[in-house]
Amino acid sequence: MKPTVWLIGAGPGDPELLTLKAVKALGQADVVLVDDLVNPQVLDYCPQARLVYVGKRGGCRSTPQAFIQRLMLRYARQGLRVARLKGGDPCIFGRGGEEALWLGSHGVACEIVNGITAGLAAATSCGIPLTHRGMAQGVTLITAHSQDGTTPDWAGLARSRTTLVVYMGVAKLQDMSSQLLAAGMAADTPVAMIERASLSDQRECRSTLAAMACDAAAFGLRSPAVLVIGDVAACQMYGAADAPMPHLSEPELRRSA
Amino acid sequence: MKPTVWLIGAGPGDPELLTLKAVKALGQADVVLVDDLVNPQVLDYCPQARLVYVGKRGGCRSTPQAFIQRLMLRYARQGLRVARLKGGDPCIFGRGGEEALWLGSHGVACEIVNGITAGLAAATSCGIPLTHRGMAQGVTLITAHSQDGTTPDWAGLARSRTTLVVYMGVAKLQDMSSQLLAAGMAADTPVAMIERASLSDQRECRSTLAAMACDAAAFGLRSPAVLVIGDVAACQMYGAADAPMPHLSEPELRRSA
C-alpha cells in the first residue's frame, strides 16, 4: 500500500510550530480535512488544496467521526492526496490511531506526521519546565474528557511524582481537584491553567490544587485550555525578577556536571 | 531583556521534524552549540554559523553542564546570536529550564523553541498510538536515568493506566522490569523498544515486561533508545495484515461520534 492519506499534527496554534514535514505534506495535498482546533493561518501552506471543515469539539454538535473517516476514504479512493489536519499531535488524544487503523482495514495506507502537542507548548510558552530536575520525575499527559467513559486513576497519578498535564479539563476542574486532594496531593500544589497556548492571545492563570476551580471561574477560563499540575507549575524560567523557581548555584552545577 | 539565546529542540533525528521556528532561529544564529544527540543534517539550516560541539551523554566523558552554560553566556555578552541545539525538546529531560533560569539570573533572556520529543516520534514511526482509546488513559514520559539520584514511583506509574514512555532506559531494563512486575503490572504487558527513532536506520524490538531485558540483549539494543510499555505497545496502526490492534467496528464508531 502506498500512503495516500497524511494525518498531520498542526501543532498548538502558532503556525511556526508546524514541522517541515507537515508543511511539505500540506503543499502536496489535493484536499485537506480541517479540524476546528486548527489555526486558519496554517492553511496558508496549502493554497492549492480544497478545504473541508470537519470540526469535532468535545460536547458540541459537530461532524461525526465515522463520517470524517468515510470522507477520507472516499477522497483517497478517488486518487486524491488527502491531508487530515488536526490540532497538536495526531496520536496525543487525537484519534490518529483509530483513523490510521480504520483506513488500513479499508486498503488505504496513511502516514502520521507528528506535531507539537498543546500541553508541551503551553508549558514552554509560559515559562514552565515540565520535567525540571528535583521537582518532577517526568510528565504525564492525560485527558479529563475520556472518550470511553473511564476515568484516570487519580491516586496512581498523585503518587507518580510526575507533572500532570491535563487536556480538555476546563469543565472538570472541581472534580479533578477533589479527586487529587482525596488521593493525598497537597492542597497548595501549584497549578497553571493556560488558554489558547502559543497564540498571540494566550492567557494564563496560576493557582493551586485547592483553589483552581474558583480561580478559573474568576479568571473566566475557557476551552481550549491546558492545565499543568505539580511543583513546576509555580516556575517562571524566563528570568522574571520575582522568579519563584530555586535555581542551582555554581557549585551545584559543577557537581552535577 | 531582549532574547539573545535560543534553546532549540532539534527533534528526534529526522531533520524534517524540525519546526519552522527552529529553522528560522538557526538561520539567524551566529554561533550554534550542538548537543551530541543532534543529527548533523540539521546543521544544514545554519551554514552561516560557527559550530561548537558540546556533547553531554549520560555516563560518558563529555562537556560539563556548567561549562556549556558559561559558554552561552560569554557568546551572548559578546553580542552574538546564540542557538543551543538539543535533541528532542529542550524541556523534556533536556535541562532547558535550568539553562533558561541560569541565563536569566545572569541578565540574558532566552527563548525556548519546542521540538518533537523522541518518545512521541518513536511510537508514531513504528505504528504505536500512545493514547489509544480503550487502552490507555494518557501517556507518561519518564527517564530511568534520573539526574538527581531519585527513582520514579513505579507503583504509582503501574496503576496510572497511562502508557509509559521511558527515555535513557537501556542500561536499566532489568531493574525497571523487576520494579514494575513487583508493582503488579502484568508480565505479558507489551513493550516496544525503539532505537534511533525517526532515522533511516531505526530499529524496533517488540517484547513483554517480563522478557524485555533478555530480548533487548539478544536484539543488541543500544542507546539512544526509547521504551514504550503498555497495551498500545502491541499495536501496529499502519494497516499491517496481522495487526494485533482491535479496531472499532462501524456501529462503535457511530456510537462514539
Side-chain angles (χ1 to χ4, degrees):
Chain A
M1 280 193 300
K2 200 168 172 296
T4 48
V5 175
W6 293 284
L7 304 180
I8 302 176
D14 179 353
E16 290 206 334
L17 289 177
L18 275 177
T19 65
L20 298 175
K21 199 170 183 175
V23 169
K24 193 169 151 186
L26 282 171
Q28 295 174 6
D30 297 310
V31 57
V32 178
L33 280 70
V34 187
D35 197 274
D36 63 6
L37 286 179
V38 171
N39 184 342
Q41 290 177 48
V42 168
L43 304 174
D44 290 348
Y45 293 104
C46 51
Q48 81 292 344
R50 174 173 162 197
L51 303 179
V52 181
Y53 292 87
V54 291
K56 212 176 68 58
R57 185 94 55 101
C60 296
R61 189 176 172 80
S62 53
T63 316
Q65 180 68 17
F67 179 78
I68 297 172
Q69 296 183 182
R70 277 194 283 268
L71 207 54
M72 286 193 283
L73 184 63
R74 186 193 309 161
Y75 289 132
R77 285 181 172 165
Q78 288 172 4
L80 300 174
R81 284 161 299 187
V82 183
R84 166 97 165 95
L85 196 55
K86 294 164 172 282
D89 182 274
C91 288
I92 300 295
F93 311 121
R95 296 197 171 186
E98 285 172 42
E99 296 184 3
L101 195 81
W102 189 86
L103 289 168
S105 73
H106 288 77
V108 173
C110 70
E111 182 177 10
I112 294 186
V113 180
N114 289 123
I116 302 290
T117 185
L120 185 51
T124 299
S125 63
C126 65
I128 296 172
L130 288 173
T131 66
H132 196 61
R133 188 159 61 129
M135 285 190 175
Q137 291 283 349
V139 58
T140 299
L141 315 179
I142 45 170
T143 170
H145 181 85
S146 160
Q147 292 161 325
D148 57 5
T150 55
T151 55
D153 184 306
W154 296 109
L157 294 171
R159 61 179 287 194
S160 73
R161 294 204 293 265
T162 64
T163 302
L164 305 184
V165 176
V166 185
Y167 291 64
M168 295 168 276
V170 174
K172 302 212 174 171
L173 291 172
Q174 190 57 63
D175 182 51
M176 279 190 284
S177 173
S178 305
Q179 298 273 0
L180 286 169
L181 288 169
M185 195 178 266
D188 62 353
T189 301
V191 172
M193 299 177 274
I194 305 131
E195 184 182 295
R196 294 180 62 76
S198 87
L199 294 168
S200 57
D201 57 350
Q202 170 179 312
R203 298 196 308 150
E204 62 178 279
C205 174
R206 304 274 183 142
S207 182
T208 63
L209 185 59
M212 68 187 198
C214 290
D215 287 350
F219 182 79
L221 185 75
R222 286 186 301 183
S223 288
V226 162
L227 275 67
V228 180
I229 304 172
D231 288 342
V232 300
C235 294
Q236 175 44 263
M237 62 179 164
Y238 296 129
D242 55 349
M245 184 163 73
H247 66 83
L248 299 171
S249 66
E250 292 272 331
E252 281 174 316
L253 279 169
R254 270 197 294 278
R255 269 202 302 280
S256 73
Chain B
M1 282 192 297
K2 198 169 172 296
T4 50
V5 175
W6 293 285
L7 305 181
I8 303 176
D14 179 353
E16 290 205 333
L17 290 176
L18 275 176
T19 65
L20 298 175
K21 198 170 184 175
V23 168
K24 192 169 153 187
L26 282 172
Q28 294 174 5
D30 297 309
V31 57
V32 178
L33 280 70
V34 187
D35 197 274
D36 64 7
L37 287 179
V38 171
N39 184 343
Q41 290 177 49
V42 168
L43 305 174
D44 290 349
Y45 293 104
C46 51
Q48 81 293 345
R50 175 175 162 195
L51 303 178
V52 181
Y53 291 88
V54 293
K56 214 176 66 57
R57 184 92 57 100
C60 296
R61 189 177 173 79
S62 54
T63 316
Q65 179 69 17
F67 178 78
I68 297 172
Q69 294 183 183
R70 277 195 283 267
L71 207 55
M72 286 193 283
L73 184 63
R74 187 194 308 162
Y75 289 132
R77 285 181 173 165
Q78 287 171 3
L80 299 174
R81 284 161 299 187
V82 182
R84 167 94 165 96
L85 196 54
K86 295 163 171 284
D89 182 273
C91 288
I92 299 296
F93 311 120
R95 296 195 170 186
E98 286 173 39
E99 297 184 2
L101 195 82
W102 190 87
L103 288 168
S105 73
H106 288 77
V108 173
C110 70
E111 182 179 8
I112 294 185
V113 180
N114 289 123
I116 302 290
T117 186
L120 186 50
T124 300
S125 62
C126 65
I128 297 172
L130 287 172
T131 66
H132 196 63
R133 187 160 62 130
M135 285 190 176
Q137 291 284 349
V139 59
T140 299
L141 314 180
I142 45 169
T143 170
H145 181 85
S146 159
Q147 292 160 325
D148 57 5
T150 55
T151 55
D153 185 307
W154 297 110
L157 294 172
R159 61 180 285 193
S160 72
R161 293 204 293 264
T162 64
T163 302
L164 305 184
V165 176
V166 185
Y167 291 65
M168 295 168 277
V170 174
K172 303 212 173 172
L173 291 173
Q174 189 58 63
D175 182 52
M176 279 189 285
S177 172
S178 305
Q179 298 272 0
L180 286 169
L181 288 169
M185 195 178 269
D188 62 353
T189 301
V191 172
M193 300 177 274
I194 305 129
E195 185 182 295
R196 294 179 62 76
S198 87
L199 294 168
S200 56
D201 57 349
Q202 170 179 311
R203 297 197 309 149
E204 62 178 280
C205 173
R206 305 274 182 140
S207 180
T208 63
L209 186 58
M212 68 185 196
C214 290
D215 286 350
F219 183 79
L221 186 75
R222 287 185 302 183
S223 288
V226 162
L227 274 68
V228 180
I229 303 173
D231 288 343
V232 299
C235 295
Q236 175 45 265
M237 62 179 164
Y238 295 129
D242 56 348
M245 185 164 73
H247 65 84
L248 300 169
S249 65
E250 291 271 331
E252 281 173 316
L253 280 169
R254 271 197 293 276
R255 269 201 303 281
S256 73

